[in-house]
Amino acid sequence: MKIRTLIVDDEYLILKSLVHIFSSMADRFEVIGTGADGEQAYSQICSLAPDLVLLDISMPRLDGLELLKRLHDNAIPMPTVIILSAYRNFSYAQQALHYGCREYLLKPFVKRELIEQLTRIADQIEQHRTSSAEDQYALLPELLASRVGALLAGAEDSGFEAFLVSHELSAFPVRLGIAYRPEKWSCLPRDMQRFSALLPASTGIFCFSLGGLPAFWMQRGYCSMHADALARAAREIGGAHCVLGVSEPVSSAEELAQQYENIRRSFSRMFYSHELASPLLYIHGRPSPLAAPPHFPLHDGFSDALRRHHSQDALAIIYAYFSLLDEKQCYDPDDIRRIVYDCIVYLRSLPDPLSPRLTEKLKRIELSDLSRCQTLDDLFLFFYSLVLDVTEDLRTLSDTGDHCIMLAQNYCRTHLTDVTLSDAASCVNMSKNYFCRYFKLHTGENFSDYLTSLRVQTAQDLLHTTNLRIADIAARVGYGTASHFISVFKSACGVTPTEYRADAGKG
């Protein structure tokens, strides 16, 4: 079997030269990939599992030593690594040795010396393969788990089928477990170590993070043999419940992805669980399909109940809808969460203004936040209590509306000379935008129109009952210039202030 090699260097000419040298040794080496930075190399090592890596130290994004540290810290199986460096720095070599690297090559290198070094390394790798065949077989579950974990975590699937063939695997079963209460797992790496320590030895379990959830790959027969131990360990870590999914045998990355989706759908059944004490749901094979949930009457009764401030009607609609979901228990939880989120978006746009506290609360809710509601009961209580807050808020504001409007209007009359929108809003402890909506809702007119009308009416009284100059009246009712006042007055009354006074005098 050829030695599968990955070459990583950000200098194009050196990278090309190395590829050329390896092509001359094609009887023993196969170049399965090249890279130009550490981040790319990390992904390739996880997905391709090379036997040998030639790794430059100085690279963008992630240098060679940082890459070795990440592989070491994440317990990624370490290939044979040759460090390439233009620096005669002993500290670099020390750090590389600490992370498992045994070869260090200075640039620029001599082709003959490199070939000699590669020949020696090839001999060592092949000797190791021959002498530890049984150990390799014993480690196969861990190697396979590492590859499965990398694929499910988003690594590219190139080389996966070749990996199966190289280890004489035509198909293998997948065992995945997902913590039912992921928020309990506050520190994933530490908790995974504790979790593994609580399980029986020699069971071959591989732990990794999948979409933020702790997930596990287990050997054949492990689930049925040690299901109780797994459940106890999950509970001890954080009161977590587990869902175990057992797939059909798979032989490609595509089949693996499909089987994982089957397990995810099986996991959805826990959404309808009312008994949180049950520690384990053990699922075999392919789950039944999940249906699209029924229509929620958002615009067929729910919105009308909110507009009329009929809280009991709105809450009764929610209760009836969730009772229907609970009765059938065959709908995708993500679809149900999206329906609830659509209702929350509607609540943000209610024609009746809500209090600033509740407005801000609704604004902060994202669809991803609803994933914390991991059972139908959780989601029902969240939605029900939110709508209850909204209806009570609407009723309270309606009851206090006349009083707030009266305070604002009284403030305008007594401060007409210099009153502003900000002043009127502040006197009733509201923001400007909220006050404008609130004022329009309770009076039927915009605040700016109300203020203009009040100023014109006050000016009419002063023109009729006093001999003040037009400029003085303009100042008293809040206009900085007489010309502006005259323009507004004529637009509202059809005549200028002088003409209005003359007509009033004739009467």
Side-chain angles (χ1 to χ4, degrees), residues 50-54 78-82 100-103 121 124-125:
D51 302 310
L52 174 65
V53 177
L54 273 72
M78 185 74 72
T80 300
V81 178
I82 300 178
C101 174
R102 294 293 178 264
E103 304 289 340
I121 290 173
Q124 292 174 356
I125 292 176

Side-chain angles (χ1 to χ4, degrees), residues 184-199:
K184 299 287 187 179
W185 304 68
S186 57
C187 182
L188 190 63
R190 182 189 64 205
D191 283 342
M192 284 303 186
Q193 292 173 7
R194 290 175 57 203
F195 187 90
S196 298
L198 290 167
L199 297 172

Side-chain angles (χ1 to χ4, degrees), residues 112-127:
R112 176 180 52 80
E113 294 178 354
L114 175 59
I115 290 176
E116 290 176 357
Q117 187 170 9
L118 290 175
T119 301
R120 176 172 53 81
I121 290 173
D123 291 340
Q124 292 174 356
I125 292 176
E126 289 172 352
Q127 182 180 0

Side-chain angles (χ1 to χ4, degrees), residues 262-274:
N262 289 341
I263 293 170
R264 187 197 71 80
R265 285 162 49 199
S266 296
F267 176 54
S268 299
R269 297 179 185 177
M270 285 296 283
F271 184 71
Y272 298 98
S273 172
H274 296 285

Side-chain angles (χ1 to χ4, degrees), residues 235-449:
R235 285 199 303 273
E236 186 164 333
I237 289 299
H241 298 274
C242 281
V243 175
L244 299 187
V246 183
S247 84
E248 301 293 333
V250 298
S251 58
S252 69
E254 291 75 15
E255 291 180 15
L256 175 63
Q258 181 57 52
Q259 292 298 335
Y260 173 69
E261 177 60 20
N262 289 341
I263 293 170
R264 187 197 71 80
R265 285 162 49 199
S266 296
F267 176 54
S268 299
R269 297 179 185 177
M270 285 296 283
F271 184 71
Y272 298 98
S273 172
H274 296 285
E275 181 53 66
L276 297 183
S278 56
L280 197 69
L281 177 63
Y282 191 45
I283 302 168
H284 290 266
R286 190 180 302 276
S288 58
L290 296 170
H295 170 72
F296 180 79
L298 176 59
H299 300 291
D300 305 326
F302 183 70
S303 59
D304 184 58
L306 290 176
R307 281 196 301 269
R308 292 184 287 110
H309 301 177
H310 289 182
S311 60
Q312 293 303 316
D313 291 349
L315 296 173
I317 290 172
I318 295 174
Y319 184 83
Y321 184 75
F322 275 79
S323 296
L324 175 63
L325 298 177
D326 190 37
E327 178 183 349
K328 299 294 185 181
Q329 296 194 3
C330 62
Y331 308 115
D332 192 324
D334 288 339
D335 290 342
I336 300 174
R337 292 187 183 101
R338 276 188 286 271
I339 288 173
V340 171
Y341 184 70
D342 288 342
C343 292
I344 293 172
V345 172
Y346 170 76
L347 293 177
R348 294 174 187 165
S349 60
L350 284 172
D352 296 358
L354 299 171
S355 65
R357 176 195 64 81
L358 194 51
T359 299
E360 184 62 26
K361 179 180 179 180
L362 290 170
K363 188 187 302 182
R364 288 200 306 267
I365 298 173
E366 300 291 342
L367 177 59
S368 57
D369 297 329
L370 300 186
S371 62
R372 298 171 188 167
C373 300
Q374 294 196 352
T375 68
L376 187 68
D377 288 344
D378 291 343
L379 190 59
F380 168 74
L381 291 174
F382 173 83
F383 187 36
Y384 189 93
S385 61
L386 185 65
V387 173
L388 184 61
D389 283 348
V390 169
T391 56
E392 289 183 350
D393 202 66
L394 291 171
R395 180 177 53 79
T396 301
L397 291 174
S398 177
D399 293 342
T400 59
D402 292 343
H403 178 66
C404 291
I405 295 300
M406 181 184 68
L407 287 176
Q409 290 176 335
N410 185 59
Y411 182 89
C412 290
R413 283 191 290 270
T414 56
H415 297 80
L416 194 58
T417 301
D418 55 1
V419 67
T420 65
L421 170 61
S422 295
D423 297 333
S426 296
C427 83
V428 288
N429 297 315
M430 298 181 189
S431 68
K432 290 191 295 184
N433 291 338
Y434 182 76
F435 175 74
C436 286
R437 292 177 58 201
Y438 189 93
F439 193 92
K440 176 69 177 290
L441 174 69
H442 290 280
T443 66
E445 65 177 334
N446 293 324
F447 175 75
S448 58
D449 294 338

